[in-house]
């Protein structure tokens, strides 16, 4: 087994074909974040993006996209990447030490890796969940199932949809909106939302803008960027930008016009996406990590994720991360209540993070 490190744009057609074969053969790798197009889009915007090509017997058996900061690695597109990990024929093909050595890293931080990837799960500190909408049985079955389970948001959103049509105008859903106005509204509304929440205006970062623009241009069968919009009459009410793989649509950057907040246009758009997706080969709409109310209301499945780091103990970066793990475990055993997150915040100041 050997690992060869290249830039995403240096991937050959043979390597991309091997990538697709591995991805298509493992349902845990179905997310568009695991597609070569996502890695190459980030690579077009960042000079620190790489792919570790894992070979055995002259054949490509795995790939590992990552970013490098000196001898410390992070997942590809980490700040906007909701799924991370190894694209391989079983994560047992390589050990943590072999992966670090092959990619010339002392440490590798991760925070959105499916817990089924044992090479990462065994080195995790925290676990989380990524809820999803299950459309396997179709859209009507999804709506009926959630109503039967006592979820009120589905019915109330459908009532607001009817009210919106009466009071504002006919509702129109566009699955892939080519209008530049819709794209500009997405950027403006999402950045305003970030400001209201005291968060970094991520869409204004140069590399993020380039990455998303590249993804927006992708319209292939195995991967596509989709800008979806909701209109009422002549009014643009809500916009979402995400990615679709063969069967998974990732709910990534949703936003809406706050002037129409009383109609919950963002939730109406999500239901329209579910209806359209179910009719067009989408089995899952992944809502991304987190347990906000709308996610728990709409979702009827979840993916277990893990967060932590791989490290080489005989290095400063590795020693710091091992120290963090020991402190967090000891701290977590104490009755500290709301102060449980203090060690994590402290180490995030000491350690370079994604």
């Amino acid at each position: 087994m050997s690992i060869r490190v290249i830039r995403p744009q240096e991937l050959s057609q043979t390597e991309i074909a091997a990538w697709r074969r591995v991805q298509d053969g493992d349902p845990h790798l179905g997310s568009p974040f695991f597609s070569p197009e996502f890695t190459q889009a980030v690579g077009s915007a960042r000079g620190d993006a790489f792919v570790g090509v894992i070979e055995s017997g002259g054949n490509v058996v795995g790939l590992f996209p990552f970013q490098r900061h000196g001898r410390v690695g992070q997942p590809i597109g980490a700040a906007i990447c909701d799924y991370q990990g190894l694209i391989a024929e079983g994560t047992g093909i390589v050990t943590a030490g072999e992966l670090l050595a092959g990619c010339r890293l002392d440490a590798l931080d991760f925070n959105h890796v499916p817990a089924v990837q044992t090479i990462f799960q065994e080195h995790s500190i925290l676990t989380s969940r990524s809820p999803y909408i299950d459309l396997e049985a179709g859209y009507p079955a999804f709506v009926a199932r959630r109503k039967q389970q006592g979820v009120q948001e589905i019915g109330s959103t459908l009532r607001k949809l009817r009210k919106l049509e009466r009071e504002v105008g006919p509702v129109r859903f566009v699955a892939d909106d080519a209008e530049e106005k819709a794209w500009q509204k997405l950027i403006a509304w999402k950045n305003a939302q970030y400001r209201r929440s005291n968060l970094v205006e991520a869409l204004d970062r140069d590399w993020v803008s380039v990455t998303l623009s590249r993804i927006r241009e992708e319209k292939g069968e195995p991967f596509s960027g989709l800008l979806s919009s909701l209109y009422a009459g002549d009014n643009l009410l809500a916009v979402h930008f995400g990615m679709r793989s063969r069967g998974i649509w990732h709910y990534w950057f949703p936003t809406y016009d706050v002037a129409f907040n009383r109609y919950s246009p963002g939730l109406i758009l999500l239901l329209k996406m579910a209806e359209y997706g179910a009719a067009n080969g989408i089995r899952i709409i992944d809502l991304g990590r987190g347990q906000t109310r709308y996610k728990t209301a709409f979702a009827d499945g979840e993916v277990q994720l893990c967060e932590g780091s791989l490290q080489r103990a005989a290095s400063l970066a590795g020693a710091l991360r091992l120290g963090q793990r020991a402190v967090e475990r000891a701290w977590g055993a104490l009755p500290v209540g709301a102060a449980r997150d203090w060690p994590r915040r402290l180490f995030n100041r000491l350690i370079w993070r994604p």
Side-chain angles (χ1 to χ4, degrees), residues 162-179:
R162 294 189 290 270
K163 182 179 181 182
L164 176 64
E165 290 184 310
R166 289 195 308 269
E167 297 180 354
V168 181
V171 168
R172 179 168 57 96
F173 167 72
V174 182
D176 191 12
D177 198 333
E179 291 290 333

Side-chain angles (χ1 to χ4, degrees), residues 244-294:
R244 175 194 58 75
S245 57
R246 296 192 197 276
I248 298 177
W249 195 350
H250 195 87
Y251 192 68
W252 203 13
F253 292 105
T255 188
Y256 60 90
D257 187 344
V258 294
F260 293 91
N261 185 54
R262 63 187 180 279
Y263 299 106
S264 298
L267 297 185
I268 293 174
L269 176 58
L270 179 54
L271 279 184
K272 289 292 185 181
M273 288 172 57
E275 184 177 25
Y276 172 87
N280 288 274
I282 296 297
R283 297 177 290 101
I284 286 173
I285 294 181
D286 195 305
L287 300 175
R289 187 176 73 170
Q291 297 295 306
T292 55
R293 177 57 197 170
Y294 82 88

